Amino acid sequence: MKFITAKGLFVSMVIASTVSLVTMIVENIEKHKQERRDQQILEVKNDINNSIFNSGSYLQKVEVRDKKFNIEYTYNKKMKKYAEKLLKRYRSDHSAVVILDNNTGDIIAAAGYNKEDNRLDHSLPFSTTHPSASLFKIVTSAGLLMQTGVSPETVFSVRGRGTTLYKYQLKDKVDRWTRFMSLERAFAYSNNVVFGKAAIKKLTGSSIYHTANLMGFNRKLTTGLNLGRSQFVMPEDQYNLAEKASGFTKKTLISPVHAALLSSIVINEGSLVYPRLIKSISTDDGKFNWVNKVKKTKALEKSVALNLQELMKAAVVKGTARALHRGIKRKFRSKLKFGGKTGTITGGLPYGKRDWLTVYAAPQDITQGKGISVAVMNINVKKWYVKSTFLAKKLINYYYQEVFPKLRSDLSRITENKVANKGV
């Protein structure tokens, strides 16, 4: 049996202490390097945000502490240029458009316009000072489908005009003026009364608040971009619950980016793919490379999202957004599936009457991906200049004609096969 001498024990203790000290020093060095790297990334991101929101330019290179960084964005140059061209041509008092790639969350175009100064306003698509109006009916519908067993076919009684929301309309009184309407039809035609009554009967303030959070409200939605949080405040009473559920309030605020994201969640079968504008930050020597990875989270169950697709399809095919569907080129219409929601309300900042549309346009062939989601917000002060549905159809047609050639090439092959068959 061997015994450790005092000298041997001392040597072992010294070696252990030295290893521990070296490990601590290395960890501190690595921690310092990481902190310095994080600080550099933060400074680069701040420069990028200041450039986009203040001067309206997308910096390709940023210099921080005598080091040059290369910036790669997610936007598509052709799509971005076309969106800006449209806004300049139709010149609403204020307009903003956002186009999201549903597969990756990439912001492939984001543009804003200010008629008073006759200039592009790149901060408008990212600002959260806009009442969501009836776009919030997407969230309410998700809550109803998810928590209460309501289906698109569930029928509710209605009294009075669907664009108003008086307290007498929320009562269950049935008389000769009462009519009945399914949830699908109420969504398609944006009936405030049905959504107000459904919320009072089937939901609570806390349940609708929870669904709103799941779908991106009151949360940070982007990395590297100073996008404000969309705001949904807990309802104060039953009537306030009806107001918020139907979008009949100016206090629920949203950004055009988030508006497009609502459609993206639905076509992605409940997955929230976080929007991103900055793809990577790197240096020429390759020693520094920050990648903004695609991030996803589950917002809704697949069954809920599929029911929402039916509701949003009805809005586009026969409801308030039907002008969009009719304006899509025939060669694309049969190869794409659409779903959307409109909204109209006066208020917000900049002040004016908002004309909202959020819509997804995805290939029927699932091997071609999930397509795009588009949000259009026009703010009109004294008169209307152009409808949101008109701008959206232009953007969708251009995307599938010029930016996404795969669908176009598949259509060409189908046409060639038809011609060949006729010749046989």
Side-chain angles (χ1 to χ4, degrees), residues 359-374:
V359 60
Y360 61 79
Q364 295 278 8
D365 182 358
I366 60 174
T367 64
Q368 295 184 345
K370 295 290 187 178
I372 57 172
S373 288
V374 179

Side-chain angles (χ1 to χ4, degrees), residues 67-131:
K67 183 177 278 190
K68 293 183 179 180
F69 296 86
N70 304 311
I71 316 301
E72 183 184 7
Y73 296 97
T74 61
Y75 66 78
N76 179 280
K77 290 182 180 179
K78 289 175 67 175
M79 197 74 238
K80 179 175 176 290
K81 186 176 180 180
Y82 182 74
E84 292 172 349
K85 178 182 175 182
L86 273 183
L87 297 188
K88 287 179 180 178
R89 180 178 178 183
Y90 292 101
R91 302 182 63 192
S92 291
D93 290 298
H94 301 274
S95 284
V97 299
V98 172
I99 305 173
L100 287 181
D101 183 326
N102 293 324
N103 304 286
T104 61
D106 288 354
I107 300 173
I108 59 178
Y113 178 76
N114 182 331
K115 183 181 180 181
E116 184 178 358
D117 299 329
N118 191 24
R119 64 176 177 84
L120 292 172
D121 182 357
H122 291 284
S123 64
L124 194 60
F126 305 101
S127 58
T128 53
T129 56
H130 316 290

Side-chain angles (χ1 to χ4, degrees), residues 7 53 80 97 124 142 261 289 293 310 332 385 416:
K7 182 178 180 181
F53 298 145
K80 179 175 176 290
V97 299
L124 194 60
L261 180 62
N289 187 32
K293 296 179 180 179
E310 291 301 312
F332 296 143
Y385 295 89
E416 288 171 5

Side-chain angles (χ1 to χ4, degrees), residues 12 20 46 50 54 56 95 103 151 163 220 233 236 238 245 258 297 311 392:
S12 298
S20 178
N46 287 338
N50 289 335
N54 296 333
S95 284
N103 304 286
S151 72
T163 54
K220 183 179 179 181
V233 181
E236 299 170 357
Q238 289 291 82
H258 191 185
T297 188
L311 298 181

Side-chain angles (χ1 to χ4, degrees), residues 23 74 114 142 184 208 230 239 249 299:
T23 301
T74 61
N114 182 331
E184 180 182 292
I208 199 169
S230 297
Y239 181 67
T249 177

